[in-house]
Amino acid sequence: MHGRIQDTGELRIAPVASAAELDRFVRLPMRLNAADPNYIAPLMMERREALTPKTNPFFAHAEVQLWLAVRDGRDVGRISAQIDHLAPSDGGPRAGHFGLIAAEDDPTVFAALFATAEAWLTSRGCVRALGPFNLSINEEVGLLVDGFDTPPMVMMGHDPPYVAAHVEALGYRQIKDVHAYASRLSDDLPPMVRKMVDRGPPAGVRLRMLDMKRYDEEVRLLTDILNDAWSHNWGFTPTTEAETAQLAKSLKMVVDPRLAWYAEIDGEVAGFIVILPNVNEAIRDLKGKLLPFGWAKLLWRLKVQRLKTARVPLMGVRRKFSRMRRGQLLPFLLIDAARAQARALGYQTVELSWILDDNLPMRSILEAAGSSIYKTYRIYEKTLG
């Protein structure tokens, strides 16, 4: 990662070029959001790995630059700019991405950060900027614009209400909204859906849990279905083999095979659902640190105390099956099977996210299954130059 320092009066925009600067970059939102009771500091170890080329395979197909805004020796803001060479072209002018935006409530800071990121993208041939993506569209996406009154679930963002106004004041316009749905497990499925799933799987359809003895193969199956099922979604970028391996490694610590279900049609794996324990619930008071006692607290809360909340980050059905009746039943059967296990394990609330605003088939499935929107994240676009 490299760049040049831009000075704006007392404000200095400096590229992140060292491990110490990366630590400052990661820690900044913790200070900015210290007074927000719903902010949860991410684990420093996880954030360092996500933002380091040696440990995040995203960097193998992307150019990335991080910056800090510094005023009078104090960090007051941060931003990233990135160009993902696997991101699809929609036939329009070349687009780059911005992300990881966090700053004090000061329009001067936001203006300087975005001017620097936009200049970097423009110098590399980009004429549009989209974001926020932290860093990939397959990771955290969007800026929180509704739902500030609850903490974020695992792998979801949380932003102060003032950020959206500053971004929009710089000429960024909404291009997509994505939603997080919430489902209370104490509520049964709506009667029509309950009647349908109680009939059981149709002939040739089989549901099964994830097989930990074949874990790596199971994750490869999952990403293969994901790449197929989501291939026509807006902004879809396929998951690479290296990213699949990284996903397998990162999920293994927290995935519970009782909460990961596959559906087969005539012996072929056709769909899946994964519910992840909401690790944010377990790390809420750790302030990003696992040492000296954080590991013990985390493991105790995950294994002994048990969590009450969870998230569905991944669900999909192969496209060739989604057009037939048996395939159209799979999301409801998978949701019901996973919900039943989650309820038996003591979970109370499950989030299903993120869901594109115009993904009407998936929204219809979730709403028919009794879920409702409780957070909205916005993706912005701006024409550069």
Side-chain angles (χ1 to χ4, degrees):
M1 297 182 287
H2 56 86
R4 64 184 180 85
I5 293 174
Q6 173 180 320
D7 288 302
T8 310
E10 297 178 344
L11 191 64
R12 192 166 58 95
I13 309 299
V16 172
S18 69
E21 289 166 343
L22 180 60
D23 269 8
R24 288 163 49 195
F25 187 93
V26 171
R27 290 180 188 278
L28 177 61
M30 301 180 192
R31 178 176 64 78
L32 295 178
N33 294 284
D36 184 345
N38 291 308
Y39 174 77
I40 297 177
L43 293 176
M44 289 288 297
M45 179 182 69
E46 185 277 329
R47 285 291 81 197
R48 287 190 198 101
E49 290 183 355
L51 299 176
T52 300
K54 288 182 180 179
T55 48
N56 185 349
F58 172 75
F59 286 81
H61 55 83
E63 300 172 57
V64 180
Q65 179 60 59
L66 313 177
W67 290 273
L68 280 166
V70 184
R71 175 181 281 144
D72 298 328
R74 184 168 58 92
D75 297 332
V76 295
R78 73 175 199 182
I79 198 169
S80 74
Q82 57 268 9
I83 300 170
D84 185 350
H85 297 296
L86 293 185
S89 169
D90 57 7
R94 189 183 188 203
H97 299 159
F98 71 89
L100 297 164
I101 182 68
E104 294 183 353
D105 188 3
D106 181 342
T108 304
V109 176
F110 278 88
L113 286 167
F114 274 91
T116 303
E118 290 167 8
W120 187 89
L121 291 172
T122 301
S123 72
R124 285 155 179 78
C126 297
V127 294
R128 291 187 298 153
L130 278 71
F133 299 133
N134 303 337
L135 292 162
S136 161
I137 196 171
N138 294 324
E139 299 175 67
E140 289 181 9
V141 303
L143 186 73
L144 185 67
V145 294
D146 187 56
F148 302 100
D149 56 342
T150 52
M153 293 271 188
V154 59
M155 299 166 63
M156 295 293 282
H158 186 79
D159 305 286
Y162 63 77
V163 177
H166 286 305
V167 172
E168 291 165 11
L170 295 171
Y172 284 82
R173 65 176 185 88
Q174 170 195 1
I175 186 171
K176 290 288 179 182
D177 277 356
V178 297
H179 301 300
Y181 279 76
S183 175
R184 292 187 306 177
L185 296 181
S186 59
D187 297 338
D188 195 7
L189 297 173
M192 186 172 69
V193 177
R194 170 51 59 201
K195 183 178 179 181
M196 179 174 60
V197 299
D198 280 350
R199 296 191 189 112
V205 174
R206 171 178 173 255
L207 299 183
R208 66 171 179 83
M209 295 181 193
L210 179 147
D211 184 352
M212 291 299 290
K213 294 179 181 177
R214 299 167 44 243
Y215 178 75
D216 289 341
E217 182 184 344
E218 294 279 67
V219 175
R220 283 194 293 270
L221 264 175
L222 181 153
T223 50
D224 182 55
I225 296 171
L226 198 66
N227 283 340
D228 174 69
W230 291 13
S231 60
H232 289 190
N233 283 4
W234 177 87
F236 170 76
T237 303
T239 302
T240 66
E241 286 187 20
E243 288 169 324
T244 297
Q246 179 70 13
L247 178 67
K249 178 182 175 184
S250 62
L251 290 183
K252 196 166 189 176
M253 275 188 62
V254 295
V255 72
D256 185 329
R258 295 168 293 183
L259 298 177
W261 285 75
Y262 290 85
E264 299 174 356
I265 293 182
D266 299 331
E268 181 180 352
V269 177
F272 73 91
I273 187 171
V274 174
I275 298 181
L276 289 181
N278 178 26
V279 177
N280 278 7
E281 185 184 335
I283 67 171
R284 187 164 186 169
D285 61 346
L286 300 186
K287 298 182 180 179
K289 299 176 182 178
L290 281 176
L291 297 174
F293 304 115
W295 272 118
K297 288 182 180 179
L298 177 59
L299 291 173
W300 187 80
R301 290 166 182 175
L302 289 175
K303 304 298 183 183
V304 181
Q305 185 185 40
R306 295 291 184 182
L307 306 180
K308 303 301 182 187
T309 55
R311 176 181 172 229
V312 177
L314 302 168
M315 181 170 72
V317 174
R318 289 191 191 277
R319 295 184 64 80
K320 71 177 183 180
F321 294 115
S322 65
R323 292 184 286 272
M324 60 177 67
R325 175 165 173 74
R326 289 188 299 173
Q328 291 166 357
L329 284 173
L330 293 190
F332 296 105
L333 294 171
L334 288 164
I335 287 171
D336 183 56
R339 274 172 54 98
Q341 286 293 320
R343 187 165 51 245
L345 291 169
Y347 292 97
Q348 297 176 354
T349 304
V350 171
E351 175 183 293
L352 302 100
S353 56
W354 48 268
I355 311 298
L356 283 163
D357 186 58
D358 55 4
N359 187 351
L360 299 183
M362 181 55 71
R363 292 187 61 187
S364 297
I365 289 169
L366 298 182
E367 289 164 16
S371 302
S372 57
I373 294 171
Y374 85 115
K375 286 182 183 288
T376 298
Y377 296 81
R378 184 155 294 163
I379 300 169
Y380 291 92
E381 179 186 45
K382 180 180 179 179
T383 300
L384 304 179

